[in-house]
């Protein structure tokens, strides 16, 4: 391998010597331009892009961190809250379901409740889930929802109180 490399080097040196001064200058300028383009494409441009995109990415990550911290503090508050009696949890779920109107139907089965939805908006569903979590200590355990142009339809099963 080294002898092949030396042979190639000698051939290139011979060709270089055979070129006129003007041709050498053009080959040198072309080499500098190609080298500059390669340097820009593989070293400078990616670093430049990272520097330009970093502030927006940092802001996005800060927002995610704040949201996770809020959720963590809410989790701590919910764990520290006293348990809710099953009858009280059922009443809270029924009240939350009544606010959804005739688009939702609640069926209680022991420590679980099944909510059947028909064309419920995302905001109304989110409000129901938040109310169920905070007042009845209910946790979603199973969802089978379909989103259509009028809203969400399907079933949502929640577990009441401190039961897993």
């Amino acid at each position: 391998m080294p002898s092949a490399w030396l042979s190639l080097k000698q051939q290139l040196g011979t060709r270089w010597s055979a070129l006129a001064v003007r041709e050498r200058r053009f080959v040198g300028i072309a080499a500098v331009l190609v080298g500059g383009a390669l340097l820009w494409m593989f070293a400078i441009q990616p670093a430049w892009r990272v520097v330009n995109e970093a502030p927006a990415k940092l802001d996005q990550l800060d927002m995610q961190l704040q949201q996770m911290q809020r959720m963590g503090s809410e989790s701590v508050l919910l764990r520290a809250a006293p348990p809710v009696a099953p009858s009280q949890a059922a009443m809270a779920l029924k009240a939350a379901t009544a606010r959804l109107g005739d688009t939702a139907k609640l069926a209680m089965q022991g420590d679980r409740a099944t909510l059947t939805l028909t064309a419920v908006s995302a905001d109304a569903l989110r409000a129901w889930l938040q109310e169920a979590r905070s007042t009845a200590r209910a946790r979603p355990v199973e969802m089978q929802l379909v989103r259509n142009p009028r809203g969400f339809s399907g079933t949502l099963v929640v577990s009441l109180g401190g039961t897993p």
Side-chain angles (χ1 to χ4, degrees):
M1 184 76 169
S3 64
W5 183 254
L6 289 174
S7 171
L8 179 65
K9 187 176 175 184
Q10 285 177 345
Q11 287 177 356
L12 288 175
T14 306
R15 279 199 170 183
W16 183 259
S17 300
L19 292 175
V21 174
R22 182 175 162 195
E23 291 173 333
R24 287 184 199 170
R25 187 174 295 140
F26 284 141
V27 170
I29 290 171
V32 168
L33 288 175
V34 169
L38 290 173
L39 179 68
W40 171 259
M41 288 188 328
F42 295 111
I44 297 171
Q45 186 190 24
W48 191 277
R49 187 178 318 123
V50 167
V51 167
N52 285 338
E53 294 173 356
K57 186 69 171 174
L58 286 173
D59 290 342
Q60 179 186 12
L61 290 173
D62 282 341
M63 288 178 21
Q64 288 178 353
L65 175 63
Q66 290 171 3
Q67 181 181 11
M68 291 189 71
Q69 287 173 337
R70 279 193 303 270
M71 290 168 53
S73 63
E74 180 183 356
S75 173
V76 168
L77 288 174
L78 286 171
R79 286 182 188 198
V84 176
S87 61
Q88 190 178 6
M91 287 178 29
L93 284 179
K94 288 176 184 174
T97 305
R99 284 188 258 299
L100 293 176
D102 59 353
T103 61
K105 182 179 177 184
L106 184 71
M108 302 296 296
Q109 300 161 350
D111 65 341
R112 291 188 176 209
T114 303
L115 179 69
T116 305
L117 304 168
T118 307
V120 174
S121 71
D123 292 334
L125 180 59
R126 184 180 313 115
W128 187 90
L129 283 167
Q130 288 175 341
E131 187 173 349
R133 179 70 177 152
S134 62
T135 59
R137 309 289 190 281
R139 292 190 316 262
V141 292
E142 183 180 333
M143 279 189 195
Q144 292 181 350
L145 299 177
V146 176
R147 185 173 191 170
N148 54 42
R150 296 182 305 156
F152 287 96
S153 298
T155 59
L156 169 66
V157 179
V158 294
S159 175
L160 300 178
T163 58

